[in-house]
Amino acid sequence: MTLNLLHNSSDTLFEVAVPTPLRKTFYYLPPVGSSELELGAGSRVLVPFSGRKVVAVVISSVALSEAESQVDFNKLKAVESVIDTHPILSPMLLKLGLWASQYYLHPIGEVLIHMLPALLRKGEAAKASLEAVWMLTDKGRKVAWQQFEKKSPRQAELIKIFQSHGHQHSGLLPRDVSALGFSSAQTKALKDKSLIEKVDRRAKASWPDSCHSGPILNNEQQAAVDQLQIKMKSFGCFLLEGVTGSGKTEVYLRAVQQCLEAKKQVLILVPEIGLTPQTLNRFRKRFDHSIAVLHSGLSDKERLNQWLAAKNGDTAIVIGTRSSVFTPLKKPGLIVVDEEHDLSFKQQDGFRYHARDLAIKRASIENIPVILGSATPSLETINNADAGRYGHLLLKERAGNAKAPKIEILDLKDANLSAGVSEALTAEIKTQLGQGNQVLLFLNRRGYAPTLMCEHCGWVSDCDQCDARMTLHKNPAKLMCHHCGNQQPIPHQCPQCHSPKLQALGMGTARTEEQLQLMFPDYPVIRIDRDSTQKQDAFEKLLEPVRLAKPCILVGTQMLAKGHHFPHVTLAAILDADAGLFASDFRSVERMTQLLTQVAGRSGRAEKPGKVVIQTWHPTHPVFNALQLEGYGTFSRQQLIPQRQMANLPPFQSMALIRCDAKRESDAESFLNKLLPLLSGYLQTTGPLPAPLSRRAGMFRKWIIVQSHERKHLLATLNHVAKQVEQSRINKGLSWGIDIDPQDFS
Ligand code: ADP
Ligand code: ZN
Ligand code: ZN
């Protein structure tokens, strides 16, 4: 009888994942008038859902008879329209999405929509749009680039690139030109000489038919490449653990090359946009082109074009940040996760996945190898490798002629500081600059000063929305909260006692830059942090003197610590190493050691020997001693991992956080308390506790830490909890979520 009611004679229903916080799928009838329609899993449809029309993804089609028990036929609606005639998500990616939804306990509809680029989420057709490309004109093809070499060497170089085999016919996208380090003025100059012209065309990449050769591998690199070579045909996870400067990238490049020779695609995940141009250039230099780069600076259109190029197999190499782990690949052959320990691979809100872990899962689903590379692998990964679950490739020596730098610990107690730099360090900086070398100073606080304080009454610039101080910025001048983005003008007098004596307290990168410039007026001081690199390409532009081997001082936050290759830096110094040492997070020592090792790793990477200076108030802390004597690999294995085991912490237990944010503290507390009875049994719980940043953007933040020896139990119980919350609706008016394998304890 139901069928008659439905004006629809289909005997098939579609199981559809709709982006909603509800943790289930929904059934729909085929669109009215198209009962015979075959709709593949992974296709997008538009469906009516609580009064709106939303873009959703088909998961499967089900015979009506099978779905009977799960469906309320009176409420059953039809699909409004079909967006994709061919599935947009491959069976493999669908499988990955389903797995991620179960593992991270995140609603399937939100997971699948998250996997798509923005335009596809909005229901746009999966078609590449036209892009403007710079192409050589006839004149440009014939011209000899050498004739420009004297007067405008950069232009000559750009013509040479355009004329190279790879770009002769396919041209270069404007973003490619800037990624290669050329300015728009340089392209304009070539255009004005009628050497290149802008042509609208469908972006088309082709596969490199050959690649440029790299250096001769050293023995360790060769051993790693050999070991990979025999395992390239099926799933396997490899840890490439190589000290900084050991030539890990060269090993990736060889593995990529093998993959391309087999006509397969490679996906490379990198931590942050700041890293992308440099890595990209190394890949481009080796493989000419056909590289898709996915990063947050792309427009929605560009992103979709790149995504489709990867999906259609038109691009051989995809390089991108966290969310690129979901990039479709027609012929996947290899995944590389560079700097696998990096925090940015974990999404910190909403769908809280870890891109490294999903990369491993994806590789196993696609039956291809995955390489995790780092000088300072996470303890999770080290533990997996040492237990034999991963292949282990080791590079213990720096590549080429570079030697590991000497580490010196500098006690701040009796040091005379200016610009946060001790006298001894100042002298060392002077020496290095005088010898024509470059210096890198690391300080993990952006802005001018961490706080503004009243000398008279002790008032400090607290954020009224957070349990935190507002940072003083000078250019543009403002007080800004780094937690919620709250901004205020700098007061001229104390808001509390009206005294005009307000003082900037402590050092941020901007203040250090200012003072260093006064101390070293003859050398450029270059600041690298989130503020100075906001504009696209700003990073590469700032780094130009660095690349040109001019003596200079680099001051920056952890953006500077990540994977960069600065061959002329001979001194790296950490101005304040203590911030992370005594944090409440159980990973703080691991993180601190990684950071120190990475910063140290920027020094002495080429012919000139390097030096590292660490300024600290706690020179006897075991971390420093260990770094000097044994290095990260040994320290983590001999001390950090056993400590975790003793303390029953990850990777020896599975951990999750149940988070709740609420306007009223008691609401968060009582919500979490209601969950406690559901968490008994095999689980160990701690809390509800206030998060260390107990209030952010006006919301009180609380959590329960949940742990278990058995991941299965943890997931099953939390799944049950999520369902209970959904049914009882006790989360009304609250923001809550489950964070599996949490990384952020702030
Ligand atoms: P990592 O990624 O391990 O920190 P890189 O791959 O950046 O190290 O290599 C550091 C430097 O050593 C780079 O300039 C690279 O070109 C160079 N290099 C790598 N392998 C070799 C080799 N086999 N011979 C000479 N130089 C090499
Ligand atoms: Zn005051
Ligand atoms: Zn704030």
Side-chain angles (χ1 to χ4, degrees):
M1 72 115 199
T2 43
L3 284 183
N4 296 337
L5 281 175
L6 291 164
H7 318 288
N8 197 321
S9 58
S10 167
D11 51 6
T12 311
L13 291 181
F14 295 113
E15 185 188 10
V16 175
V18 181
T20 152
L22 297 176
R23 288 157 203 273
K24 58 180 203 164
T25 51
F26 298 85
Y27 290 91
Y28 285 88
L29 288 160
V32 177
S34 49
S35 54
E36 297 304 310
L37 187 78
E38 288 269 337
L39 245 186
S43 304
R44 288 173 305 153
V45 286
L46 201 65
V47 294
F49 190 81
S50 42
R52 295 176 302 133
K53 286 181 189 119
V54 296
V55 177
V57 180
V58 175
I59 290 190
S60 65
S61 46
V62 205
L64 198 53
S65 52
E66 274 173 49
E68 224 146 13
S69 61
Q70 296 168 55
V71 180
D72 180 350
F73 283 92
N74 293 313
K75 289 188 184 159
L76 203 55
K77 294 193 180 116
V79 166
E80 176 83 21
S81 62
V82 174
I83 303 172
D84 300 314
T85 42
H86 297 289
I88 191 87
L89 287 175
S90 68
M92 305 288 190
L93 279 178
L94 210 49
K95 208 166 162 185
L96 182 70
L98 290 166
W99 184 86
S101 161
Q102 281 166 9
Y103 185 86
Y104 292 106
L105 299 167
H106 198 75
I108 179 66
E110 288 188 354
V111 169
L112 294 186
I113 277 292
H114 187 99
M115 293 168 73
L116 302 174
L119 288 179
L120 296 188
R121 289 181 206 171
K122 292 180 192 148
E124 299 250 333
K127 263 207 198 108
S129 50
L130 294 178
E131 286 186 297
V133 183
W134 286 112
M135 297 278 283
L136 285 173
T137 57
D138 278 341
K139 185 176 166 201
R141 259 187 286 277
K142 288 177 202 140
V143 79
W145 58 268
Q146 290 87 344
Q147 75 184 70
F148 301 97
E149 218 176 4
K150 270 237 172 71
K151 237 173 105 193
S152 16
R154 292 294 282 166
Q155 288 179 34
E157 206 170 314
L158 188 53
I159 298 171
K160 195 170 144 193
I161 290 175
F162 269 108
Q163 289 180 341
S164 73
H165 174 74
H167 304 305
Q168 191 55 257
H169 304 292
S170 59
L172 278 167
L173 293 162
R175 62 164 180 272
D176 289 340
V177 177
S178 72
L180 287 165
F182 293 93
S183 66
S184 45
Q186 282 150 353
T187 23
K188 187 170 176 301
L190 295 195
K191 178 176 172 271
D192 293 345
K193 294 190 174 92
S194 303
L195 298 175
I196 58 171
E197 60 189 341
K198 238 184 194 169
V199 179
D200 269 340
R201 59 172 189 83
R202 219 164 281 291
K204 190 172 162 14
S206 57
W207 282 57
D209 1 82
S210 63
C211 75
H212 304 282
S213 56
I216 297 170
L217 298 182
N218 64 33
N219 289 343
E220 289 182 329
Q221 287 172 318
Q222 190 62 52
V225 170
D226 290 346
Q227 218 176 318
L228 284 168
Q229 184 154 28
I230 50 171
K231 303 253 171 77
M232 288 294 278
K233 293 223 167 78
S234 58
F235 171 65
C237 183
F238 298 86
L239 167 60
L240 175 60
E241 183 177 4
V243 298
T244 52
S246 59
K248 293 183 287 296
T249 311
E250 194 53 46
V251 174
Y252 304 149
L253 288 166
R254 301 298 164 108
V256 170
Q257 187 181 339
Q258 281 171 27
C259 214
L260 299 191
E261 278 163 9
K263 292 283 166 218
K264 294 208 171 139
Q265 292 168 286
V266 185
L267 174 64
I268 297 160
L269 302 181
V270 296
E272 249 161 79
I273 170 71
L275 257 182
T276 315
Q278 209 185 7
T279 312
L280 177 66
N281 280 348
R282 281 177 80 176
F283 277 85
R284 267 190 210 285
K285 277 196 187 131
R286 192 64 57 86
F287 302 112
D288 274 342
H289 59 145
S290 66
I291 298 176
V293 190
L294 299 169
H295 58 76
S296 55
L298 295 183
S299 71
D300 286 352
K301 249 190 191 164
E302 289 173 325
R303 178 169 284 267
L304 177 59
N305 284 349
Q306 303 270 40
W307 195 89
L308 290 170
K311 181 173 184 289
N312 298 332
D314 290 337
T315 185
I317 300 169
V318 177
I319 301 183
T321 47
R322 181 174 61 225
S323 63
S324 310
V325 70
F326 300 117
T327 313
L329 297 171
K330 192 173 185 194
K331 295 168 278 184
L334 170 70
I335 304 179
V336 174
V337 185
D338 191 23
E339 309 290 346
E340 71 84 35
H341 64 279
D342 198 277
L343 244 188
S344 71
F345 286 124
K346 178 89 190 306
Q347 171 118 326
Q348 304 289 20
D349 52 24
F351 172 28
R352 296 170 179 267
Y353 65 95
H354 200 303
R356 173 200 60 215
D357 296 340
L358 281 186
I360 297 169
K361 187 65 199 176
R362 178 162 184 193
S364 101
I365 291 173
E366 310 255 21
N367 197 29
I368 56 172
V370 53
I371 307 174
L372 314 179
S374 177
T376 54
S378 63
L379 298 191
E380 280 80 1
T381 297
I382 291 186
N383 193 47
N384 279 326
D386 290 358
R389 285 186 285 273
Y390 298 166
H392 198 174
L393 316 169
L394 259 178
L395 307 178
K396 291 194 210 129
E397 303 285 332
R398 284 197 162 180
N401 295 323
K403 292 275 165 307
K406 257 208 207 75
I407 300 180
E408 194 178 303
I409 310 295
L410 223 152
D411 193 345
L412 280 174
K413 247 171 247 117
D414 309 309
N416 201 352
L417 294 180
S418 37
V421 179
S422 61
E423 263 171 311
L425 180 53
T426 308
E428 188 60 44
I429 294 174
K430 217 172 252 161
T431 311
Q432 294 299 336
L433 292 173
Q435 290 172 6
N437 297 327
Q438 297 173 348
V439 173
L440 182 154
L441 305 178
F442 172 83
L443 179 68
N444 218 8
R445 272 190 308 261
R446 68 189 171 93
Y448 189 77
T451 340
L452 188 65
M453 196 181 97
C454 169
E455 279 184 10
H456 188 71
C457 75
W459 170 89
V460 285
S461 54
D462 285 326
C463 173
D464 56 4
Q465 297 295 307
C466 302
D467 173 25
R469 305 269 158 85
M470 291 184 95
T471 305
L472 178 64
H473 286 254
K474 262 205 168 167
N475 195 10
K478 63 190 172 190
L479 288 173
M480 184 179 169
C481 175
H482 288 179
H483 298 287
C484 72
N486 188 5
Q487 296 191 9
Q488 275 168 25
I490 300 170
H492 298 295
Q493 51 177 359
C494 171
Q496 204 161 271
C497 74
H498 308 294
S499 155
K501 287 198 170 160
L502 294 177
Q503 202 193 1
L505 214 64
M507 299 295 290
T509 42
R511 192 177 197 181
T512 310
E513 175 198 10
E514 184 184 280
Q515 297 188 4
L516 281 167
Q517 193 63 81
L518 293 175
M519 289 160 67
F520 298 96
D522 301 332
Y523 300 95
V525 178
I526 302 161
R527 174 166 59 93
I528 303 280
D529 57 26
R530 200 138 36 99
D531 300 315
S532 71
T533 56
Q534 254 172 10
K535 285 203 200 105
Q536 214 184 337
D537 307 331
F539 189 72
E540 282 302 296
K541 281 203 190 100
L542 282 169
L543 287 183
E544 211 162 285
V546 186
R547 305 254 184 263
L548 292 173
K550 296 197 174 129
C552 61
I553 302 176
L554 279 156
V555 185
T557 57
Q558 49 180 334
M559 286 185 89
L560 265 186
K562 293 184 178 185
H564 303 289
H565 184 62
F566 301 131
H568 310 287
V569 168
T570 50
L571 171 66
I574 292 125
L575 296 186
D576 176 7
D578 300 327
L581 284 181
F582 304 100
S584 55
D585 183 345
F586 69 88
R587 286 196 181 87
S588 56
V589 175
E590 173 189 349
R591 294 259 156 77
M592 193 66 203
T593 327
Q594 286 167 341
L595 191 63
L596 295 180
T597 309
Q598 294 287 351
V599 175
R602 298 314 114 210
S603 177
R605 288 170 65 92
E607 304 295 318
K608 301 171 188 165
K611 199 167 177 183
V612 178
V613 173
I614 300 178
Q615 296 192 148
T616 173
W617 295 97
H618 304 275
T620 54
H621 195 287
V623 166
F624 301 128
N625 195 25
L627 276 184
Q628 269 177 312
L629 297 179
E630 4 184 273
Y632 179 84
T634 308
F635 178 58
S636 56
R637 284 174 174 89
Q638 290 186 351
Q639 297 198 38
L640 298 180
I641 290 187
Q643 281 166 16
R644 293 279 182 87
Q645 188 157 24
M646 293 248 290
N648 261 324
L649 286 165
F652 300 95
Q653 282 219 339
S654 295
M655 186 182 271
L657 287 181
I658 307 179
R659 299 168 177 271
C660 182
D661 294 2
K663 282 236 159 63
R664 281 203 317 221
E665 195 170 5
S666 56
D667 288 348
E669 177 100 21
S670 79
F671 168 80
L672 291 174
N673 273 322
K674 281 182 211 153
L675 304 187
L676 277 180
L678 302 172
L679 296 169
S680 53
Y682 298 96
L683 306 184
Q684 178 194 326
T685 63
T686 319
L689 296 170
L693 181 64
S694 63
R695 194 161 152 265
R696 182 170 67 194
M699 302 284 265
F700 287 93
R701 310 168 71 232
K702 301 226 155 192
W703 65 41
I704 301 175
I705 303 171
V706 190
Q707 277 177 272
S708 172
H709 280 291
E710 288 282 342
R711 180 173 295 285
K712 256 194 334 218
H713 291 310
L714 186 84
L715 293 182
T717 308
L718 291 176
N719 193 24
H720 178 67
V721 168
K723 292 236 159 86
Q724 291 290 313
V725 172
E726 197 171 298
Q727 274 163 23
S728 62
R729 303 198 174 180
I730 52 171
N731 58 326
K732 241 184 144 185
L734 302 170
S735 147
W736 85 287
I738 296 171
D739 187 353
I740 303 288
D741 305 331
Q743 296 285 323
D744 175 16
F745 288 84
S746 61

